[in-house]
Amino acid sequence: MGSSEEAREAHVRLLPQLRLDELLEELQARLDAARGTRDRVHSLLEAVLSVGRELDLQQVLRSIVEAAALLVDAEYAALGVVGPDGKRLSDFLTVGVTDEQIARIGPYPEGHGILGELIRHPEPLRLTRLSDHPASYGFPAHHPPMNSFLGVPIRVRDQVFGNLYLTEKRGGAQFDEEDESVLSTLAVAAGVAIDNARLYEESRLRERWLRASAEVTHGLMSGSERGEVLGLIAERAREITGAALAVVAVPMADTGSLTVELALGQEAELHLGLVLPVGGGLIGAAFSDAAPVSTPDITRDERVPPGPPRFQGLGPAVAVPIGSGDGVRGVVLLVREAGRAVFSGEEIEPLQGFAAQAAVVMELADRRRDAQQIAVLQDRDRIARDLHDLAIQRLFATGMTLQSAARLIEHQGASERVARAVDDLDETIKIIRSTIFGLRSRDETAGPGLRARAVRVVGEAAPVLGFAPSVRMEGLLDTHVPKETADHLVAVLSEALTNIARHARARRAEVVLETDGREVRLTVSDDGVGIPAGGRRSGLRNMAERAQQSGGELEWTSPADGGTTLVWRVPITTP
C-alpha cells in the first residue's frame, strides 16, 4: 500500500512538470515561428527596398527575380514579360540556370504550357508537380528537372506586365500559402518599381528628344545645308531609338517614285540611291498613307519588295513620313537588329514630331533655293535691262554719229573703215540683244534628267518582266552626264532589260546607275539562265558599239550556275 501511494504521489507531481515542458516547447515553437516570420518580413522589406532603389528597367527586373528566388528559397526563378499582343512573352530573365545551360536548351520560351496558363489566367498558381497539370507542355532537351511550382502575376496600373515563375523549393519542400503571400506582396512592390522605372525612362527619352530637337533647330537657324541637317536628324533618330540602320527617302521629280537620299548605319551603302515605288514596301506605304508603318521583322514582311538582301541581321522596323497630309516630303525608315524590341507607340509618337522637323528642314531648303534662284533671275533681269537701256543705246548712238561723220570724210579708205566700224557696231548690238534674250529666257524646254529617264525605262519594262527590278542610283547623274552619253545609256538600259525579258527567264533583276564625275557606269544583273555559248550577240554588239563611240567599254559575265551581270561604262567630262 505504501509503495503504490508513493508512486501515485510521484505521478501527480510529474504531470505538472510534463505539462510545463509541453507548454515551454510550444512557446519555443511559437517564438521560433515568430522569429522566422520576423526574419521573413525583414527579408521581404529589404527586397522591396532593393527593388525600389533601381531606376534602370532591366536592372529592376533582374532585382525582382533575384529577390523572389531568395524569399521563397527556390532553386530556379524567372520573370517573363508579356508582349504587346498579350499572348506571348517578349522577354525572359532567369536565375539558377547557367549561361551554358541556356545555350544548350535553346531559345527562351514564348509562353506555352504552364507559362501560358498564367498569361491566360493571371492569378497565383501553386503546383506540387508541374507534369500533373493539364496545361503542362513538357521541357526541351537539356532542361534541368523541375517539379514544385509557384507562379504570381505582376501588375502595373491594373495591366499585367509579366509573371514570376518559381520552381524547385530547396530541401524537397513544397511551396505553401505563406510563400504565395510573400511572393504576391513582392509582385505588388515590383509593379510599383517597374512603373517608376518606366516613367524614368520616358522622362530621359523625352529629354534626349528635346536635346536633339534643339540641335536640329540650331542647325536650321545657322543656315546649314539641307543634306547636313537631314543627316543630323537621321543620326539622332538612330541613336535615340537604338536602330542599326536609318534611311531617308524623298520623291523623285516627274517619276512617281522615291529615291534613298541618305542612309546611315549597317549596310548603308546597299540602300543609298535605291529607287522605290510609292505605295509599295514600308517606305512607299508610309509616304502614300502619310502615316507610320511598322513591322516586327522587316526580313519577313511581305510588303518589302523582292531584291538583293539588304536587311540581313535586322528585324523590327518603322517608317515615319516626313510631314503630313498632302505635304509629305519623304520618309524616315529606322530598323533595329534582329531580336530587339518592336517599335512601340510611345516611341513612334516623338519620332513623328522629330520627323516633322525634317519637313521644316526641307521646306526651308526649298525656300532658300527659290530665293537664290529669284535673286539670280532678278540679277539677270537687271543686267539685261542695263544692257538694253544703256549699252545698246550708247552703241546705237555711236553708230549714228559715225554714219553722220562718214559723209564728211573725203578719203575713200577712211570712209570705208568708218562704214565697217558701223557694221561691226550693228553686229555687236545683235549679239547683245541675243544675250539679253538668253538672260531673260527660262529653261522650260529642257527634257527630263537621266535619273527620271532611267526610272521610266525600268517602269516600262516591269510588266514585260513580270516583276519590278530594283534600282539604285548614285552621283550627280543629271549634272555630270552629257546628253549624248545619257541617250546612249538609256538605250543600253532598255536593250538590257528587254534581253532579260526575252531570254533570261529571271525572277529578279537589279539596275545600278552611278557616276563619280569621271565616268558613268551602268550595271544590270539578273538571276536567270545566263547567256548560252552559241547564242546571238547582236544586242550585246549594239551596246558595245555605243560604249566605243563614247570611248568606253562593255563587260559581261555569265557564270555556269546561271545569272548575268552586264557593266557598261563610259568616261565623261564634268562641267
Side-chain angles (χ1 to χ4, degrees):
M1 259 326 261
S3 61
S4 62
E5 186 67 28
E6 289 175 1
R8 190 182 306 107
E9 289 178 357
H11 180 68
V12 170
R13 287 194 303 270
L14 184 60
L15 282 176
Q17 183 66 36
L18 290 174
R19 290 197 186 97
L20 181 60
D21 290 343
E22 291 176 359
L23 290 173
L24 288 174
E25 288 178 3
E26 183 179 352
L27 179 59
Q28 184 64 42
R30 294 194 177 188
L31 286 173
D32 291 341
R35 189 179 296 110
T37 302
R38 181 200 64 188
D39 293 342
R40 199 162 196 186
V41 170
H42 182 68
S43 299
L44 177 60
L45 290 175
E46 283 188 348
V48 169
L49 289 174
S50 67
V51 167
R53 289 192 197 102
E54 300 292 343
L55 287 175
D56 179 76
L57 182 57
Q58 286 301 315
Q59 190 57 45
V60 167
L61 300 181
R62 174 62 58 184
S63 299
I64 291 169
V65 71
E66 289 175 351
L70 185 64
L71 283 172
V72 298
D73 202 21
E75 186 173 354
Y76 304 107
L79 193 156
V81 180
V82 179
D85 60 359
K87 299 178 181 178
R88 297 178 179 232
L89 298 176
S90 62
D91 198 5
F92 201 76
L93 291 85
T94 62
V95 166
V97 184
T98 65
D99 293 338
E100 291 77 9
Q101 287 177 306
I102 293 173
R104 293 180 65 192
I105 293 171
Y108 282 118
E110 295 183 354
H112 302 294
I114 299 298
L115 304 188
E117 185 70 15
L118 259 76
I119 296 175
R120 293 185 292 272
H121 307 289
E123 299 292 337
L125 177 64
R126 267 189 299 131
L127 300 174
T128 302
R129 290 181 61 85
L130 277 166
S131 58
D132 293 341
H133 194 279
S136 179
Y137 198 78
F139 295 108
H142 309 295
H143 197 285
M146 295 180 180
N147 292 299
S148 58
F149 174 85
L150 174 59
V152 174
I154 299 175
R155 299 178 185 273
V156 177
R157 296 187 181 184
D158 297 329
Q159 182 180 0
V160 176
F161 173 85
N163 298 300
L164 278 171
Y165 307 108
L166 287 302
T167 61
E168 290 300 285
K169 190 175 178 69
R170 296 183 187 276
Q174 295 293 323
F175 295 108
D176 54 23
E177 292 184 2
E178 187 176 346
D179 292 326
E180 182 180 321
S181 176
V182 168
L183 205 60
S184 297
T185 304
L186 178 65
V188 173
V192 175
I194 291 169
D195 195 26
N196 288 338
R198 276 180 164 181
L199 292 173
Y200 178 69
E201 282 194 355
E202 289 175 6
S203 66
R204 289 188 63 190
L205 184 62
R206 195 176 300 112
E207 181 182 356
R208 294 184 68 186
W209 282 119
L210 289 174
R211 282 203 304 266
S213 297
E215 193 175 356
V216 171
T217 301
H218 180 268
L220 289 173
M221 302 307 293
S222 62
S224 298
E225 293 294 329
R226 171 179 179 244
E228 182 181 346
V229 180
L230 277 180
L232 178 63
I233 288 174
E235 181 61 31
R236 293 296 175 267
R238 187 172 75 93
E239 290 176 357
I240 294 174
T241 60
L245 173 68
V247 168
V248 177
V250 296
M252 294 178 65
D254 304 324
T255 64
S257 302
L258 299 166
T259 182
V260 176
E261 181 176 314
L262 183 71
L264 301 171
Q266 182 173 323
E267 304 290 354
E269 64 278 1
L270 299 179
H271 301 267
L272 196 62
L274 277 175
V275 178
L276 308 170
V278 172
L282 297 183
I283 291 178
F287 183 86
S288 59
D289 298 342
V293 179
S294 61
T295 178
D297 188 353
I298 196 168
T299 61
R300 299 181 181 179
D301 198 290
E302 296 179 352
R303 293 169 292 186
V304 178
R310 295 186 296 272
F311 298 105
Q312 289 183 334
L314 301 178
V318 61
V320 179
I322 299 174
S324 58
D326 296 332
V328 177
R329 292 177 166 270
V331 176
V332 175
L333 173 70
L334 296 170
V335 190
R336 285 176 174 155
E337 293 179 346
R340 295 285 305 279
V342 298
F343 286 89
S344 63
E346 291 77 11
E347 290 178 295
I348 295 176
E349 184 178 354
L351 184 58
Q352 282 184 276
F354 200 58
Q357 281 197 300
V360 176
V361 172
M362 301 173 78
E363 180 72 22
L364 286 177
D366 290 345
R367 292 291 178 266
R368 286 198 190 104
R369 186 172 61 249
D370 291 344
Q372 290 171 354
Q373 187 174 10
I374 290 172
V376 169
L377 293 175
Q378 288 176 341
D379 202 33
R380 286 183 177 182
D381 287 342
R382 179 188 61 77
I383 294 171
R385 187 170 57 252
D386 289 346
L387 287 173
H388 183 273
D389 295 345
L390 300 176
I392 289 182
Q393 298 303 324
R394 284 179 176 273
L395 290 174
F396 187 75
T398 301
M400 294 290 292
T401 302
L402 289 175
Q403 282 181 332
S404 300
R407 300 190 191 99
L408 303 176
I409 298 174
E410 297 179 357
H411 191 278
Q412 182 66 26
S415 178
E416 290 177 357
R417 288 188 178 184
V418 171
R420 284 199 298 270
V422 172
D423 291 340
D424 290 341
L425 287 174
D426 287 340
E427 288 299 321
T428 303
I429 290 172
K430 290 179 182 178
I431 292 172
I432 292 176
R433 281 177 172 166
S434 176
T435 302
I436 291 171
F437 178 78
L439 287 171
R440 287 178 170 172
S441 66
R442 301 293 184 267
D443 193 19
E444 296 172 350
T445 58
L450 178 55
R451 285 176 176 267
R453 294 174 67 187
V455 171
R456 189 174 295 117
V457 169
V458 173
E460 291 171 353
V464 181
L465 290 166
F467 58 87
S470 66
V471 183
R472 182 162 59 88
M473 301 185 185
E474 291 186 30
L476 301 176
L477 295 166
D478 293 339
T479 304
H480 285 175
V481 182
K483 183 179 184 304
E484 183 178 354
T485 303
D487 292 341
H488 284 308
L489 190 148
V490 170
V492 169
L493 175 59
S494 178
E495 177 76 16
L497 294 175
T498 300
N499 287 343
I500 293 173
R502 288 177 177 175
H503 311 296
R505 300 199 296 274
R507 293 173 297 175
R508 191 176 70 197
E510 181 180 13
V511 175
V512 179
L513 181 57
E514 52 195 340
T515 180
D516 56 3
R518 295 184 296 272
E519 71 171 12
V520 61
R521 185 167 54 256
L522 170 67
T523 305
V524 182
S525 57
D526 66 76
D527 63 348
V529 297
I531 301 175
R536 296 177 59 188
R537 295 288 193 274
S538 58
L540 293 173
R541 187 165 52 251
N542 292 336
M543 298 181 207
E545 289 176 356
R546 287 183 180 275
Q548 292 168 3
Q549 289 174 14
S550 302
E553 60 180 353
L554 172 70
E555 299 174 352
W556 71 87
T557 58
S558 187
D561 56 352
T564 302
T565 299
L566 179 148
V567 180
W568 189 90
R569 55 163 58 92
V570 169
I572 58 176
T573 302
T574 58

